[in-house]
């Protein structure tokens, strides 16, 4: 894509050259613009070197060379990314002021405008700033972040207002150009393993990484869905726009899912819920005793079967990992757990399943009909699952 990266005057402008590099590495063509305030934080030369072209700024804009540079740039661009976006840049754009390069570009016909705000928590949360954000959203502008984290000012407590990292911006970009066919839909995703504690420091679990569930959440967000992600312990960073709830045990996961199930349109249950939990959880760490130890275990509740009677409009999708008689067992599970379909996968295939970036699934219906899909990335599988769930929802 042809992208204009425009920096306004915040300390996060120091990250703009890195953003330009990352976008170019991802195959985009980048030109750069900056307000005069941005030059308090980053030099024109740093931006020009990163972009490999002239910076569009107040000086080049008003050069007497007979060109309307903002219009030429706007015609070239597929999107404008304002990063960092300050409260002032948002206000100027919301008022269509055109008295600096960013607000002028915003009203020059660029098809997509993306804001990456960076500011102090109090400023971001101020009602007038939020009013400007809403005004811009109403006319189709997109926002990436801000997120909670450490802020620039020395001694300032962490809070919402931190700009996304350049890598996160690059990763989120494709989602802004996807078909928004899940807009208005609420997708509920469970992910990762559960931990069933024996005592405060020991638990039963499994090697689920959460990758399939996080990919589901990302895919649904990219298609405009509201996403709730209920996740067991995972080393992954949840997508910024998902409503993420972290849980540990199967019982916690059940409660969290119950809380969101009624309002969801599609439930995708990728979590590897532990089947057993300790009958008695010790409140103190248990000392080692003897050479053998016997654990008394009881079944965890089957979450899908518990949600089944509460179902109204929801499409329900599960996952099944089998080593033998896959389709037969998966169809039986789909039927018992009240699923529209189940995604059968095998733990034994190299490069797929637990922890891998790829997966190979067979989609199995409760009546035993099955469709084997090719091995592909978990993200690509997530989109196919959403296609199928949406088709059922609309049928
Ligand atoms: O019976 P099995 O564990 O193989 O079923 C797998 C499917 O059921 C997955 O979608 C999993 O998330 C879900 N499950 C559940 N509650 C459990 C165990 C598994 O909802 N206690």
């Amino acid at each position: 894509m042809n992208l204009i990266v425009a920096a306004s005057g915040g300390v996060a402008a120091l990250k703009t050259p890195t953003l330009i590099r990352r976008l170019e590495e991802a195959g985009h063509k980048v030109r750069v613009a900056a307000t005069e305030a941005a030059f308090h934080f980053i030099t024109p030369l740093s931006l020009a070197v990163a972009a490999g072209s002239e910076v569009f700024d107040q000086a080049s804009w008003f050069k007497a060379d007979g060109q309307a540079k903002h219009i030429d740039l706007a015609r070239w661009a597929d999107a404008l990314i304002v990063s960092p976006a300050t409260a002032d840049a948002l206000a100027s754009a919301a008022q269509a002021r055109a008295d600096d390069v960013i607000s002028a570009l915003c009203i020059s016909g660029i098809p997509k405008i993306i804001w990456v705000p960076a500011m102090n928590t109090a400023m971001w949360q101020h009602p007038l700033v939020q009013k400007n954000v809403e005004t811009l959203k109403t006319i189709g502008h997109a926002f990436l972040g801000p997120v909670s984290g450490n802020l620039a000012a020395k001694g300032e407590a962490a809070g919402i207002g931190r700009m996304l990292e350049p890598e996160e911006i690059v990763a989120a970009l494709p989602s802004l150009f996807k078909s928004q066919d899940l807009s208005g839909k609420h997708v509920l995703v469970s992910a990762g393993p559960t931990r069933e504690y024996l005592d405060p420091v020991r638990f039963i679990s499994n090697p689920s990484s959460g990758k399939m569930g996080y990919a589901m959440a990302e895919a649904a967000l990219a298609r405009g869905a509201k996403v709730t992600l209920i996740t067991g312990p995972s080393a992954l960073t949840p997508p910024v726009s998902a409503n993420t709830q972290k849980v540990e045990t199967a019982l916690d996961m059940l409660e969290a899912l119950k809380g969101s199930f009624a309002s969801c349109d599609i439930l995708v249950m990728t979590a590897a819920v532990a089947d057993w939990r300790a009958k008695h959880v010790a409140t103190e760490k248990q000392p080692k005793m003897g050479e053998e130890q016997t654990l008394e275990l009881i079944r965890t509740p089957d979450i899908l079967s518990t949600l089944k009677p509460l179902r109204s409009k929801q499409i329900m999708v599960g996952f099944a990992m089998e080593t033998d008689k896959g389709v037969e067992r998966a169809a039986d599970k789909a039927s018992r757990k009240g699923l529209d379909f189940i995604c059968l996968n095998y733990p034994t295939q190299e490069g797929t399943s637990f922890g891998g970036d790829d997966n190979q699934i067979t989609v199995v219906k409760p009546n035993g009909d099955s469709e084997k899909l090719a091995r592909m990335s978990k993200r690509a599988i997530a989109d196919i699952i959403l296609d199928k769930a949406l088709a059922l929802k609309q049928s």
Side-chain angles (χ1 to χ4, degrees):
M1 275 189 295
N2 290 348
L3 303 173
I4 305 169
V5 172
S8 58
V11 71
L14 287 171
K15 293 184 179 171
T16 308
T18 313
L19 175 62
I20 294 169
R21 287 264 152 77
R22 298 286 171 273
L23 288 167
E24 285 179 340
E25 285 160 16
H28 302 292
K29 291 198 177 71
V30 182
R31 302 226 181 132
V32 62
T35 60
E36 293 307 293
F39 296 142
H40 292 301
F41 301 93
I42 183 94
T43 67
L45 194 57
S46 314
L47 292 172
V49 168
S53 61
E54 189 188 31
V55 179
F56 175 55
D57 60 9
Q58 209 76 6
S60 65
W61 193 13
F62 290 110
K63 221 191 267 172
D65 55 8
Q67 287 174 16
K69 289 214 174 98
H70 58 302
I71 301 294
D72 292 346
L73 256 185
R75 290 209 177 113
W76 170 85
D78 297 307
L80 166 69
I81 304 175
V82 186
S83 175
T86 58
D88 186 50
L90 293 167
S92 297
Q95 291 174 26
R97 293 183 63 89
D99 55 359
D100 63 58
V101 293
I102 294 178
S103 55
L105 285 169
C106 282
I107 52 169
S108 297
I110 300 171
K112 186 98 197 161
I113 296 176
I114 300 157
W115 297 92
V116 188
M119 66 192 80
N120 177 278
T121 306
M123 293 172 79
W124 172 251
Q125 290 178 335
H126 193 282
L128 290 174
V129 175
Q130 285 303 311
K131 192 169 162 222
N132 289 334
V133 170
E134 281 316 307
T135 303
L136 295 168
K137 280 187 179 167
T138 321
I139 58 162
H141 288 205
F143 280 77
L144 292 176
V147 289
S148 284
N150 291 331
L151 301 171
K154 211 169 171 186
E156 185 73 33
I160 183 129
R162 200 178 70 79
M163 194 181 91
L164 291 189
E165 292 301 326
E167 293 74 17
E168 294 174 307
I169 300 168
V170 177
L173 211 52
S175 69
L176 302 177
F177 294 87
K178 287 274 299 188
S179 132
Q180 299 292 290
D181 58 355
L182 287 171
S183 167
K185 300 271 186 292
H186 178 194
V187 176
L188 177 58
V189 181
S190 74
T194 65
R195 283 180 182 171
E196 309 305 329
Y197 281 89
L198 310 177
D199 68 21
V201 296
R202 300 188 181 93
F203 52 79
I204 302 173
S205 193
N206 61 65
S208 170
S209 63
K211 279 188 181 174
M212 191 62 237
Y214 283 53
M216 283 301 322
E218 273 164 20
L221 283 169
R223 292 163 68 160
K226 172 186 160 192
V227 173
T228 303
L229 174 64
I230 312 287
T231 176
S234 165
L236 303 174
T237 308
V240 276
S241 308
N243 165 19
T244 303
Q245 294 172 40
K246 295 187 176 176
V247 296
E248 285 201 275
T249 66
L251 287 169
D252 292 344
M253 185 170 274
L254 172 61
E255 283 314 304
L257 283 164
K258 269 189 187 163
S260 292
F261 184 67
S263 69
C264 89
D265 298 282
I266 297 170
L267 165 67
V268 187
M269 188 80 194
T270 74
V273 185
D275 292 318
W276 303 96
R277 66 187 175 95
K279 188 166 181 187
H280 305 288
V281 182
T283 50
E284 304 294 333
K285 185 185 172 201
Q286 296 300 289
K288 293 189 240 352
M289 282 178 305
E291 288 306 309
E292 285 185 19
Q293 180 81 358
T294 304
L295 282 176
E296 237 187 311
L297 299 175
I298 52 171
R299 287 288 297 270
T300 53
D302 191 283
I303 297 178
L304 285 169
S305 305
T306 314
L307 295 175
K308 184 177 163 185
L310 309 175
R311 180 178 183 176
S312 53
K313 52 174 186 170
Q314 295 84 356
I315 298 297
M316 290 172 68
V317 181
F319 271 71
M321 186 168 275
E322 305 292 348
T323 50
D324 186 30
K325 295 192 187 144
V327 173
E328 197 183 312
R329 289 195 174 151
D332 177 55
K333 277 182 191 171
S335 146
R336 273 191 287 117
K337 294 174 190 249
L339 302 174
D340 292 279
F341 60 89
I342 197 159
C343 305
L344 165 66
N345 54 5
Y346 299 92
T348 42
Q349 279 171 342
E350 201 199 322
T352 64
S353 207
F354 278 142
D357 289 327
D358 289 353
N359 207 349
Q360 193 274 304
I361 64 163
T362 300
V363 175
V364 182
K365 298 236 173 93
N367 66 5
D369 287 353
S370 68
E371 180 190 354
K372 187 174 176 184
L373 304 182
R375 173 178 167 171
M376 60 186 98
S377 70
K378 289 183 173 170
R379 184 64 171 69
I381 287 179
D383 266 317
I384 294 177
I385 292 170
L386 289 171
D387 289 344
K388 290 185 184 297
L390 188 60
L392 286 168
K393 180 91 194 146
Q394 287 166 344
S395 64

